[in-house]
Amino acid sequence: LSESSLEKVRTFEIELLLKDVGGTMKIIAFYLPQFHDIPENDEWWGKGFTEWVNVKKAQPLYKGHEQPRIPMNENYYNLLDDNVKIWQANIAKEYGIYGFCYYHYWFGGKLLLEKPMEQMLANPKVDIPFCISWANEPWTKAWVNESKVLIPQFYGGKKEWKEHFDYLLPFFKDNRYIKEDNKPLFIIYRAEVIDCLNDMLDYWTELARQNGFSGMKYAYQNLTFDLMPNRDDSRFDYNIEFQPSYAWNDLNNKSAVQKSKLWKFLRNVKRRIYAETEKRLGFDLQRYFNHKGKEKNASVLKTDYDEAWKAILEHIPENEKNIPGAFVGWDNTPRKGHRGQVYIGDTPEKLNKYMSKQIQRAKSIYKKDMIFMYAWNEWAEGGYLEPDERTGYKNLEAIRDALKENNEFPW
């Protein structure tokens, strides 16, 4: 067979898997590319800034706080090394992770942190299915706990939309790219702030058809869009329940006051103000106020890991678009210090138990064969499956065993 024929066969195999032939669960882990130097980060935060800078400088902020987190064998890798990306893909598949969802940073033609994904595309030895989530927030100093906007986010018109699609097209065409019914799966992190949302997605669907696809499969992952009244999600096939955000929302909307019509009305007004401000100015007003509001007398917010997972496992999907989520852990104090949040009490044993139940619920309640996992390598937020000095490979083993217990191991 020719190289092109082999690629078509491989693409067909991936699509068969996505149609649930063989009945295997696809755990797709979010993947952060900020583990290599870029000129912009050198300018904004100092020479050599990567995610590892925050990870290494983390300190325990209360008794029993497990910081800093250290990669196994102090593997502070550089994602520009293809051997690292090959290693990641190999161990992910070994333990049952189906694919990665790469965060993609595009600002009207300006790219940031694009090299790892581009290198992956060029190297078939990074052999794992993948999709892309456009992290369409303004670029701020949130990485170092500041609210200053460095690059605002604007969307333009057809010229800019085509430029963006043309950049993405080689990824969509790759045989590793996750597709369903010959439609690439593309995720938008914050749909609520895009003023031209429907027109842009319709145009991309048209361009996809012009390039040999049957269309596009769109998903969104930010809770805010899900909570907005009268939202138009007609272009979206899927709503990813991004965890632990959905769990946090469920845990904090239980009281009579929080369930009242007035409370919900006021919250919705605030969300609309934030979303409209960002649409017009490319500025995240909510992040600014959240930062300013926590500057004085801040203390780490502690949330019970078991309570969060209880909320996840009790959550009822709104409709057939919902895709269940999961999370391995959360501790963003390496970035935010005392203004951070920690989900306390996580263990690999608990992860195994909860993932096994979520796999069952994905099938029986959501009628889905996908779970989006937070995360593969969010080290500065405590959301990583990669091996560390704290638990070794046990979190990956927990995922593997949960899949095998349910006869859902994909490889």
Side-chain angles (χ1 to χ4, degrees), residues 149-402:
V149 174
L150 300 169
I151 306 178
Q153 182 67 269
F154 296 107
Y155 300 94
K158 279 192 172 182
K159 176 180 177 293
E160 290 77 17
W161 306 341
K162 186 175 189 306
E163 182 183 359
H164 194 180
F165 183 88
D166 288 345
Y167 174 79
L168 294 167
L169 186 58
F171 296 94
F172 295 159
K173 287 184 173 181
D174 190 81
N175 61 332
R176 292 163 291 177
Y177 199 91
I178 296 172
K179 305 176 188 74
E180 187 176 349
D181 300 323
N182 192 35
K183 299 175 181 179
L185 174 63
F186 186 72
I187 298 156
I188 294 179
Y189 183 61
R190 297 192 61 199
E192 73 277 4
V193 300
I194 303 177
D195 54 356
C196 53
L197 180 66
N198 287 350
D199 289 340
M200 183 178 69
L201 297 187
D202 287 346
Y203 186 54
W204 281 356
T205 298
E206 177 187 332
L207 291 175
R209 289 174 177 148
Q210 291 174 11
N211 283 277
F213 297 110
S214 301
M216 293 287 296
K217 287 282 183 178
Y218 298 116
Y220 65 91
Q221 77 179 74
N222 192 19
L223 173 67
T224 303
F225 189 57
D226 211 25
L227 297 177
M228 295 188 76
N230 304 315
R231 71 182 184 276
D232 182 1
D233 63 355
S234 58
R235 276 35 173 210
F236 288 97
D237 301 274
Y238 298 123
N239 165 18
I240 296 168
E241 294 179 1
F242 185 56
Q243 299 295 358
S245 296
Y246 276 74
W248 175 250
N249 181 69
D250 289 346
L251 288 171
N252 288 276
N253 286 282
K254 289 184 175 182
S255 71
V257 171
Q258 290 166 331
K259 290 181 179 180
S260 69
K261 289 183 179 180
L262 177 60
W263 179 270
K264 290 180 179 179
F265 171 77
L266 293 174
R267 292 292 296 272
N268 287 332
V269 168
K270 185 171 73 170
R271 289 188 192 103
R272 285 199 174 278
I273 290 171
Y274 288 156
E276 288 301 319
T277 301
E278 191 163 340
K279 284 179 184 179
R280 296 174 186 274
L281 303 178
F283 174 71
D284 188 348
L285 194 63
Q286 182 175 9
R287 175 170 285 171
Y288 175 81
F289 282 130
N290 285 347
H291 175 81
K292 290 297 181 184
K294 294 178 181 178
E295 285 186 345
K296 294 183 179 179
N297 302 318
S299 62
V300 176
L301 177 61
K302 301 172 189 174
T303 307
D304 188 83
Y305 184 78
D306 297 304
E307 286 299 309
W309 263 104
K310 184 174 184 289
I312 291 171
L313 296 173
E314 291 178 352
H315 185 79
I316 303 301
E318 181 181 355
N319 55 45
E320 72 284 351
K321 292 185 178 185
N322 288 52
I323 296 177
F327 81 113
V328 60
W330 180 279
D331 180 349
N332 64 358
T333 59
R335 287 185 187 166
K336 295 183 177 293
H338 285 281
R339 290 182 282 270
Q341 181 178 13
V342 181
Y343 283 76
I344 57 175
D346 65 289
T347 67
E349 293 74 23
K350 290 177 182 179
L351 179 64
N352 170 255
K353 178 178 69 174
Y354 295 141
M355 281 302 299
S356 186
K357 292 179 179 179
Q358 189 70 327
I359 289 166
Q360 295 165 19
R361 295 180 80 251
K363 290 281 188 170
S364 63
I365 296 176
Y366 288 80
K367 310 299 181 184
K368 295 292 186 298
D369 62 357
M370 288 187 285
I371 296 174
F372 275 83
M373 183 83 194
Y374 178 86
W376 177 255
N377 62 342
E378 286 272 12
W379 281 87
E381 290 185 345
Y384 57 89
L385 288 169
E386 291 179 324
D388 70 355
E389 298 289 345
R390 177 174 174 249
T391 62
Y393 281 82
K394 288 183 179 179
N395 281 326
L396 282 169
E397 291 169 0
I399 301 292
R400 176 198 65 195
D401 294 347

Side-chain angles (χ1 to χ4, degrees), residues 49-67:
F49 179 86
T50 73
E51 199 76 355
W52 295 126
V53 170
N54 286 330
V55 173
K56 289 178 180 180
K57 73 180 184 182
Q59 298 292 327
L61 301 179
Y62 55 85
K63 186 177 180 179
H65 188 200
E66 296 181 277
Q67 287 290 350

Side-chain angles (χ1 to χ4, degrees), residues 34-54 56-57 78 80 141 144:
Q34 189 163 236
F35 294 90
H36 66 97
D37 296 6
I38 60 173
E40 292 85 356
N41 280 349
D42 287 346
E43 177 186 347
W44 294 328
W45 297 307
K47 183 70 175 177
F49 179 86
T50 73
E51 199 76 355
W52 295 126
V53 170
N54 286 330
K56 289 178 180 180
K57 73 180 184 182
N78 182 343
L80 298 186
K141 283 201 166 187
V144 291

Side-chain angles (χ1 to χ4, degrees), residues 59-103:
Q59 298 292 327
L61 301 179
Y62 55 85
K63 186 177 180 179
H65 188 200
E66 296 181 277
Q67 287 290 350
R69 301 290 180 87
I70 302 171
M72 180 176 277
N73 301 321
E74 298 191 13
N75 182 22
Y76 296 104
Y77 54 68
N78 182 343
L79 280 183
L80 298 186
D81 181 351
D82 269 9
N83 290 325
V84 170
K85 295 187 284 292
I86 293 168
W87 168 76
Q88 290 174 321
N90 288 345
I91 66 166
K93 290 173 71 174
E94 180 181 350
Y95 289 95
I97 302 301
Y98 177 76
F100 291 149
C101 181
Y102 288 88
Y103 282 124

